[in-house]
Amino acid sequence: MTIPLQRSQLIALILIPLLSALLLLTPVAELFTGQQQLSALLIMSGMVLFATGALPEFVSALLVLVLAMLLSLAPAEVVFSGLTSTACWLIFSGLVIGIAIAETGLARRISDRFTRYLDSSYAQLITGIVFMGVLLGFVMPSSVGRVVLFIPIALAIAENCGFARGSKGHYGVLLAAAFGCHLPTFAILPANIPNMIMIGSAESIHGWTPMFTEYLLLHFPVLGLLKAMLLIGVILLLYPDTPRRTAPVSRNGGFSFRESRLMLIMLTTLGFWLTDSIHHISAAWIGLAAATVLLLPGVGMVSPKSFNDKVNISSILVVAGLLGIASLINYSQISQVVGERVLDWLPLEPGRDAVNFFSLSLAAMLTGVVATLAGVPATLTPLAGQISQMTGFSLEAVLMTQVFGFSTIVFTYQSVPLMMAMPLAGISIGHAARLCLILAALTVVVLLPLDYLWWQLLGWI
């Protein structure tokens, strides 16, 4: 008896051999050693499995991890680095915090006040959620913190608006929250890790640090505001629905004792997150401390039963697999090999401003694919002086072209906050993967030319 293949499995069966042949039978193969070719094949196959959903996501993750070990592509501490990473423990903490916010009724209370003004139409609801996420980017410098706080509230908003789990409206609300508090905020200087890496490396290598307002003026109108509007449009198109409130908005007055206690814990956690530049304690350990307090008998608000029933271990395995792919890319030096040849491949020449701008922006985006978002400034900042001479651009302009690259997410594994948001929201990575690909394509086709015109208008090029 034969089991019929699903469409996603057929696509994976076609793509994996095709891409493998392109890697092994074309001049690209000459760039890599035999071990690097094996790593590239596994990485590429894993990305196809995650993108197509041909296998359950946690199975794809385990497959990548197991094959990496069986083929001796990297030491165990590299392959399983995702399980020991701060991202993994941030996800665990976020799951516990999300349970507490939901079970105390705090998420419901906040969502009641939020949806009271926005549930008159679906477009108004999605727009409000996205721009609430953008506003959080101005007050919370950690995208991870924004995800942990905003996703439980978005879950309550979806429930308040009558969206059943698995419905288009449910997906739309949660994707708006996850992407809204992350994607447009790359245009806000201290709001994400790649921004800070670029600032630090630019200052240490080239002695230049962008000011908050000049960075905001250059990037926010196109890569912040217009990208947020593009995100709203795509979500409305892919996940159309109509809010149908199932219960009247609660008008309860004061907070309960449990809600007040949770608010105190959350505000303390947020305070430590916002002051991490002073105490230098990782956001992961702050979040883990909060989760531990919430689990303490008699003190916390998450019972052992709720923990056992609602903490999704498979989501942690998925993130571990994706982070394992990122670590394997770095360990096998695939990103370094590609980065060393970037300058040879780019058609850079003084006087060709449009070609130079598009080439540098797209090169930064592709660097993010092979080196993850944080790898963009780490890879390209040391090359900025040389690129400046090759293009005739100022050093500052060359450095700023990186922002287009690390703000354009092609695959979900590039972004830890997005990988965190999906399990917290209970959404398959496949939905985020599809939205990433569509937004990346539209960003290149629509926003990149507009970004070039905006740079010209401001006199940067």
Side-chain angles (χ1 to χ4, degrees), residues 33-61:
T33 65
Q35 190 82 342
Q36 287 175 327
Q37 287 179 2
L38 278 176
S39 296
L41 284 172
L42 179 60
I43 291 164
M44 179 193 62
S45 300
M47 288 165 57
V48 169
L49 290 175
F50 279 115
T52 60
L55 297 174
E57 290 168 343
F58 71 93
V59 176
S60 298

Side-chain angles (χ1 to χ4, degrees), residues 2 8 43 66 167 193 204 206 247 362 367 376 418 424 427 436:
T2 58
S8 59
I43 291 164
V66 168
S167 67
I193 289 175
S204 62
H206 303 290
L362 293 174
T367 300
V376 174
L418 275 188
L424 292 178
I427 294 180
C436 282

Side-chain angles (χ1 to χ4, degrees), residues 179-265:
F179 279 76
C181 72
H182 182 49
L183 216 57
T185 62
F186 284 103
I188 303 167
L189 188 57
N192 288 285
I193 289 175
N195 307 37
M196 303 308 294
I197 293 175
M198 188 198 73
I199 295 169
S201 57
E203 183 177 18
S204 62
I205 297 173
H206 303 290
W208 177 74
T209 304
M211 301 299 292
F212 179 89
T213 50
E214 88 175 322
Y215 185 98
L216 190 72
L217 179 62
L218 181 62
H219 298 300
F220 190 76
V222 177
L223 299 180
L225 184 61
L226 291 184
K227 181 168 280 191
M229 295 172 66
L230 201 61
L231 170 63
I232 293 166
V234 173
I235 290 176
L236 292 176
L237 186 64
L238 293 180
Y239 302 97
D241 212 326
T242 303
R244 294 173 293 275
R245 180 173 288 279
T246 54
V249 177
S250 172
R251 303 267 179 191
N252 292 337
F255 290 96
S256 69
F257 176 69
R258 280 165 57 83
E259 288 176 327
S260 299
R261 192 166 53 175
L262 178 59
M263 284 281 288
L264 177 61
I265 294 171

